[in-house]
Amino acid sequence: MASTQPLGRASEEPACDIESHVHETTDAFGNPQMVKLTTTADNIFDAIDLHRCYQKPGSTKGPDTPKSIEWLPLLDIMDLYDIDEKKRESMSRIEANRLHKALKGFKRLRFEMDEPLGDADLHGYSKLDAAGWKLLWCFIICDHDIEIALFEKFPQLFDESRLAGIQEALESRLDRDSSKILENNLELCWALVDYLTAIVGLMVIDESDNAEWQARCLADLARWSMKVKVLCQNPKEYTERSLGSARDMMLMEKVKRKGLLMGVHVVKGFGVTRRDLASSVVQNAVNQQQARFNLMPDFDSTHQFDTDDDRLEAAYMVELVGTRRTLNRVIRLIISLFVSSEKSGMSSQSFEVSLLATELGLHTTTVLFGQDRDGELNMSASGRVAWGAQKMSSRLVEITQTVLRTAGWVVSQGGTVTVSCESETVGNIEPFDTASLDAVVTLLVPLGCAQPYSVSSIADLARIFNLVSMKSDFLRPVAPVKFSALFVMRTKSFENELRDMAHNGNVAPGMDPEADHAVPDTQAVSTSLMSRNGLEYLHIYEADRKFDSEIQQGKRGPKWNSKEELQEEIQEMRSLHKEITRHWTIDETSITISYASYVLRVAFACVVLVLGGIAVGFTVQERIKGVDPFNITVFCWALAAFILVVAKAYRVQDWPWRDYLRRRVVCRSLSELCDVTHKDAQQVLQYLLWNEPSTTLITRGPYNKLFYRKDQSGFSIDQKIELRTMFAAGVVVVKVVSPQGIALVCRRITEGDTLRGFMQVNPMDEDDKDWVCIESSASSSPGQDATLVEMSLEWNRILGIYNVPRREFR
């Protein structure tokens, strides 16, 4: 067997400027804060062997120390792969020291091998793709082994459907994809594992400075790293071993349940192995193809743990399984960034990976948008996720600066990848080009960790620790985050292929696909309407249709330098939000507005007419022969009454006298509301749609499809909503290819939502419905409305984020 000493390394340079493992940085507001690596390599090593003597997190030492339990089940099976206890302990020590050393010197953290990977070209991406496939394969084997361990040791957490899916994936692709997993790239795989686990470790220590939290999470990363490095040496053979072991174990369980042991008494841990039992007793008794299914005993979901040992074992399993499954979500996303995919419809060297943090809902809430290498989108409007993304973005800026300082990684000519960072919160970095695949990997991993999907997973991990901990200090409240940023890694060929899509029917409405000036009607996250304050500039230059066209093409022209106008627009939006929140009363069917100025003006005009008429009657008296001057008084009174009635009916359809006398108006439709307040209908729609979860408003048609609460007696949404307003209110529209043709799909994210997204392949699910427009937008006229229908839609490709700013939806 090959040596267990890691060949790749995350960083070997000494952290000479680090004292006491404490690193000074700044928060979003520029205030200094201390980020601590509070655990030690010994603590990580001890946590790797947590099964030897387990206590709940947060247990204190002393006479009141809660009971511990010894020799619990070990989830990461290693003896199956020729790793005995002595080797496993040696490897554990290596991994614990490696992780601790890398995190001590995180300011110099970068991906590196003994020899550089080479250029970021087709050949380089092919090497990275092969290594990514191998890591992904080993990742699945690790998942398979954990499910088997749960089946045997703690069936309450076992998921039969999950195991069946994993086994199907391994068995169906074992021969088909064997060429990729058998490539001789062990050094690259180990180096990727080292760097990947080090960056995920940064996320862990940023989440909490609790030493026990850090030790246990980093220990799980070390366990995963250790096992994957072993599996990478011979993944095909180890896959067959893992599947064979699972079959044998399940056959034995089947036999025990069917009563086919034929008098053989099996005592756990004594003499008879699973493989021996299966081969000698029941080899021909049970169909092996059926043995994988329906073997799970009927466990009572209300199972009571009667003893302290039972409860402690349950806490141990919940902690280990929860930690591994949660970290696996992050690891899998990052590994997928190494692997090229045909799902996006682009070549292996054409991709954009980006993170956008912007404010929606009249600039009140930070919302995150992420795009991965496949072109899949993930979104979050959770304050805690924004807090974590802000911290990871600061790390990303630091790592980017390391790339800029590394000789040969940044080029002025011949670069194949462009990297940019725009953020007034965590720091601006001018766009630069690189042709080094080492630089690409160095930035790709932290950019993947900063995605909403990854950050939300770490937040979930903190919740798991809160559940099993003796203390409640792992998950702490966080202050609201005002965070804006745009991080982009984009290949040159991606830009070219995106332009070529304009000649394949993916063009703006009303344009000839063959015309030279045809532009795509979809964009990536970095050039969408939401990026670089595009929605705000659209409102500033509302009458400039040329500006609309530039935004639609993803361009950012000279007008983007008008920072003063932008700040004024943002301040105006925030002021509107405050005005609505303070002065509008929103109930189930109406919105009540204080309208004292209007009522007083009308009343003043009527009083002037009435008093003027009386004055005329008494002043003129009999000076005009044959004319009764009080007829003029009566006329003035009648005119005042007419003005009063018209004034009451002009703004709203129904204005009761009681409300009128109390100087307020009750609006029951959007058009009435805008007439009364003189507010822009699109901005009012933006507020109502974004804040619907926090109000009691119930809406009715004809254009209220995007709202959740609907009733025929509700507030009427009688004006169409534009695409720019939908984005500003958290409704993201993407263009997809479906069996029914080209379609637009809308998904809504609201404040507090932890995670939403769009996958490249969306299977049919009758329970999962979206608002969809099946009309062919490529052949529609520029002014044609898009009609939304609620339905389940299957699609097999995302073409991009829809980008026609003023298209209306009904």
Side-chain angles (χ1 to χ4, degrees):
M1 182 185 134
S3 170
T4 56
Q5 175 66 35
L7 296 176
R9 56 188 184 278
S11 176
E12 296 293 344
E13 298 181 17
C16 58
D17 59 326
I18 307 300
E19 294 182 7
S20 302
H21 306 170
V22 179
H23 316 292
E24 186 169 336
T25 182
T26 57
D27 61 16
F29 307 98
N31 302 315
Q33 63 179 9
M34 306 306 286
V35 179
K36 298 181 180 180
L37 176 62
T38 54
T39 192
T40 64
D42 289 338
N43 289 340
I44 298 173
F45 175 72
D46 291 339
I48 292 175
D49 287 336
L50 201 61
H51 65 289
R52 292 181 174 178
C53 187
Y54 176 76
Q55 282 184 310
K56 286 186 177 182
S59 299
T60 56
K61 295 181 178 180
D64 297 328
T65 299
K67 183 179 178 181
S68 61
I69 187 170
E70 297 182 356
W71 295 107
L72 286 164
L74 182 63
L75 290 186
D76 290 289
I77 302 171
M78 297 292 283
D79 56 349
L80 192 61
Y81 310 113
D82 305 322
I83 303 295
D84 58 22
E85 184 64 19
K86 185 176 180 180
K87 287 182 180 178
R88 191 190 67 81
E89 185 173 331
S90 174
M91 294 170 65
S92 298
R93 175 64 70 181
I94 292 173
E95 291 301 316
N97 290 337
R98 174 190 64 81
L99 263 178
H100 190 265
K101 182 178 181 180
L103 294 175
K104 279 175 57 181
F106 78 88
K107 290 187 177 181
R108 293 179 173 81
L109 195 59
R110 64 173 183 264
F111 175 81
E112 55 184 350
M113 295 172 58
D114 292 333
E115 293 186 6
L117 274 177
D119 293 335
D121 53 16
L122 185 60
H123 176 66
Y125 289 121
S126 296
K127 290 195 298 184
L128 189 62
D129 175 70
W133 267 109
K134 182 177 286 189
L135 292 178
L136 193 59
W137 190 271
C138 298
F139 172 94
I140 298 173
I141 299 175
C142 291
D143 257 8
H144 181 258
D145 287 349
I146 287 180
E147 291 301 322
I148 291 300
L150 290 176
F151 176 81
E152 181 184 23
K153 306 294 186 182
F154 204 80
Q156 289 88 343
L157 293 178
F158 171 70
D159 186 341
E160 183 179 0
S161 60
R162 179 184 176 90
L163 177 62
I166 294 172
Q167 289 182 334
E168 183 179 359
L170 289 174
E171 291 173 347
S172 63
R173 307 185 74 164
L174 183 59
D175 295 324
R176 187 179 64 186
D177 296 332
S178 60
S179 61
K180 291 184 177 181
I181 64 175
L182 292 178
E183 284 203 23
N184 185 18
N185 53 6
L186 188 62
E187 180 181 358
L188 174 57
C189 290
W190 284 16
L192 289 172
V193 168
D194 285 349
Y195 184 63
L196 182 158
T197 50
I199 297 298
V200 176
L202 283 179
M203 300 181 72
V204 168
I205 65 174
D206 279 340
E207 182 69 22
S208 173
D209 60 1
N210 182 283
E212 195 169 14
W213 152 271
Q214 293 184 7
R216 296 196 179 190
C217 292
L218 295 177
D220 195 78
L221 288 173
R223 281 192 292 265
W224 179 86
S225 172
M226 179 171 57
K227 185 166 184 178
V228 167
K229 288 179 179 179
V230 171
L231 295 174
C232 280
Q233 296 174 71
N234 198 341
K236 186 173 182 179
E237 178 184 339
Y238 291 156
T239 301
E240 293 169 347
R241 290 189 190 184
S242 181
L243 290 171
S245 175
R247 281 192 212 100
D248 293 344
M249 182 187 304
M250 290 182 162
L251 281 170
M252 184 181 70
E253 181 64 28
K254 182 90 172 185
V255 167
K256 287 195 293 186
R257 294 184 64 191
K258 294 295 184 181
L260 298 178
L261 284 177
M262 298 178 295
V264 177
H265 180 63
V266 179
V267 180
K268 182 177 178 182
F270 288 84
V272 183
T273 66
R274 297 192 300 267
R275 186 179 299 275
D276 293 335
L277 180 66
S279 59
S280 63
V281 181
V282 293
Q283 185 173 12
N284 300 315
V286 183
N287 187 308
Q288 292 189 10
Q289 294 300 320
Q290 296 178 351
R292 283 174 36 214
F293 304 98
N294 302 320
L295 300 179
M296 185 61 191
D298 296 327
F299 290 101
D300 184 3
S301 60
T302 61
H303 176 74
Q304 297 294 320
F305 299 102
D306 298 325
T307 67
D308 289 341
D309 283 357
D310 289 341
R311 285 187 284 271
L312 203 55
E313 182 176 359
Y316 166 81
M317 298 301 291
V318 168
E319 180 184 337
L320 258 65
V321 175
T323 302
R324 173 58 60 85
R325 286 180 176 172
T326 307
L327 288 175
N328 276 359
R329 283 153 50 184
V330 183
I331 293 169
R332 183 159 194 159
L333 171 66
I334 297 172
I335 295 176
S336 70
L337 297 178
F338 304 147
V339 179
S340 61
S341 172
E342 297 178 355
K343 292 190 293 185
S344 65
M346 294 188 174
S347 63
S348 61
Q349 56 183 342
S350 298
F351 62 85
E352 173 183 300
V353 181
S354 53
L355 170 70
L356 170 64
T358 187
E359 291 182 343
L360 299 183
L362 295 176
H363 275 265
T364 57
T365 306
T366 299
V367 181
L368 303 172
F369 297 89
Q371 177 173 315
D372 64 16
R373 186 172 175 179
D374 290 336
E376 295 179 336
L377 307 175
N378 56 107
M379 310 168 286
S380 177
S382 164
R384 188 165 190 88
V385 174
W387 176 81
Q390 175 207 2
K391 284 181 166 290
M392 196 61 218
S393 297
S394 299
R395 302 292 197 186
L396 183 55
V397 170
E398 293 170 347
I399 294 172
T400 304
Q401 291 169 345
T402 299
V403 170
L404 292 172
R405 291 194 297 265
T406 303
W409 279 12
V410 179
V411 296
S412 57
Q413 293 182 344
T416 57
V417 179
T418 299
V419 180
S420 64
C421 168
E422 302 174 25
S423 174
E424 296 181 358
T425 310
V426 296
N428 278 307
I429 294 178
E430 291 295 323
F432 63 90
D433 291 347
T434 182
S436 168
L437 192 58
D438 297 80
V440 170
V441 173
T442 297
L443 294 172
L444 203 57
V445 174
L447 189 50
C449 288
Q451 299 279 309
Y453 184 86
S454 301
V455 180
S456 65
S457 298
I458 298 298
D460 289 343
L461 184 57
R463 295 188 186 97
I464 293 172
F465 266 76
N466 259 33
L467 290 174
V468 300
S469 174
M470 300 296 293
K471 298 179 179 179
S472 298
D473 61 348
F474 290 113
L475 186 63
R476 299 174 179 175
V478 297
V481 174
K482 295 296 182 183
F483 170 45
S484 61
L486 177 61
F487 296 93
V488 185
M489 175 182 288
R490 169 185 280 210
T491 63
K492 302 290 187 181
S493 55
F494 177 83
E495 299 175 1
N496 296 332
E497 293 189 24
L498 192 64
R499 283 194 296 267
D500 291 343
M501 291 174 68
H503 298 280
N504 293 311
N506 184 30
V507 297
M511 287 191 173
D512 179 5
E514 301 300 326
D516 292 337
H517 64 279
V519 297
D521 64 354
T522 60
Q523 293 290 339
V525 166
S526 66
T527 51
S528 65
L529 297 178
M530 299 170 289
S531 68
R532 299 184 177 93
N533 298 109
L535 296 170
E536 290 74 23
Y537 280 111
L538 271 169
H539 194 261
I540 294 172
Y541 301 107
E542 189 152 4
D544 192 342
R545 297 297 172 178
K546 182 179 179 182
F547 187 75
D548 288 6
S549 177
E550 290 177 355
I551 291 184
Q552 187 172 310
Q553 298 175 54
K555 297 179 180 179
R556 299 297 186 261
K559 289 183 178 179
W560 244 254
N561 297 322
S562 53
K563 298 295 184 182
E564 295 79 9
E565 290 180 304
L566 174 61
Q567 292 304 318
E568 290 176 5
E569 176 67 18
I570 292 175
Q571 189 58 42
E572 181 182 333
M573 289 184 177
R574 290 174 176 165
S575 299
L576 175 61
H577 183 274
K578 290 181 181 179
E579 178 185 347
I580 294 175
T581 303
R582 293 176 180 177
H583 303 298
W584 294 15
T585 303
I586 301 177
D587 59 27
E588 288 87 348
T589 60
S590 62
I591 297 177
T592 304
I593 309 295
S594 176
Y595 212 33
S597 60
Y598 179 81
V599 172
L600 292 176
R601 286 198 305 269
V602 173
F604 177 77
C606 292
V607 168
V608 168
L609 278 174
V610 170
L611 294 179
I614 295 174
V616 168
F618 284 105
T619 302
V620 174
Q621 295 184 355
E622 297 180 355
R623 294 179 185 177
I624 303 177
K625 294 182 179 180
V627 176
D628 184 358
F630 283 97
N631 288 338
I632 299 175
T633 302
V634 172
F635 175 78
C636 290
W637 281 46
L639 181 60
F642 177 76
I643 290 174
L644 185 61
V645 170
V646 171
K648 278 180 78 275
Y650 179 70
R651 294 296 185 186
V652 296
Q653 182 177 358
D654 181 22
W655 196 348
W657 278 106
R658 182 174 182 274
D659 290 322
Y660 183 83
L661 294 176
R662 293 173 68 91
R663 300 184 301 279
R664 66 189 185 191
V665 58
V666 179
C667 303
R668 292 181 172 81
S669 70
L670 180 60
S671 57
E672 289 182 354
L673 183 62
C674 294
D675 283 343
V676 169
T677 60
H678 304 288
K679 302 298 184 185
D680 179 63
Q682 297 300 315
Q683 288 191 335
V684 174
L685 267 174
Q686 178 182 336
Y687 178 90
L688 295 179
L689 196 58
W690 178 258
N691 291 281
E692 184 188 12
S694 61
T695 67
T696 60
L697 187 67
I698 302 172
T699 64
R700 60 184 171 91
Y703 308 121
N704 68 325
K705 291 179 179 177
L706 294 173
F707 287 83
Y708 292 139
R709 297 189 296 269
K710 303 170 188 176
D711 189 82
Q712 289 299 321
S713 62
F715 182 85
S716 176
I717 306 298
D718 54 0
Q719 297 196 33
K720 301 168 189 173
I721 187 169
E722 295 181 359
L723 180 68
R724 60 185 177 123
T725 306
M726 294 167 67
F727 279 134
V731 181
V732 180
V733 184
V734 299
K735 192 172 184 179
V736 302
V737 178
S738 72
Q740 291 92 333
I742 300 295
L744 303 177
V745 181
C746 305
R747 283 186 179 169
R748 182 177 169 188
I749 186 168
T750 58
E751 185 173 5
D753 284 349
T754 301
L755 196 65
R756 295 278 284 164
F758 292 90
M759 305 295 289
Q760 279 286 0
V761 178
N762 188 70
M764 176 66 73
D765 185 354
E766 293 297 335
D767 297 329
D768 186 15
K769 295 185 177 182
D770 298 300
W771 286 105
V772 177
C773 174
I774 300 292
E775 300 169 345
S776 177
S777 57
S779 60
S780 61
S781 61
Q784 183 176 352
D785 297 340
T787 303
L788 297 176
V789 179
E790 189 175 20
M791 61 181 292
S792 296
L793 182 69
E794 175 185 0
W795 68 78
N796 51 32
R797 180 175 298 172
I798 297 175
L799 296 175
I801 298 177
Y802 197 53
N803 217 58
V804 182
R806 301 187 193 277
R807 187 163 191 193
E808 295 182 331
F809 288 73
R810 54 185 303 162

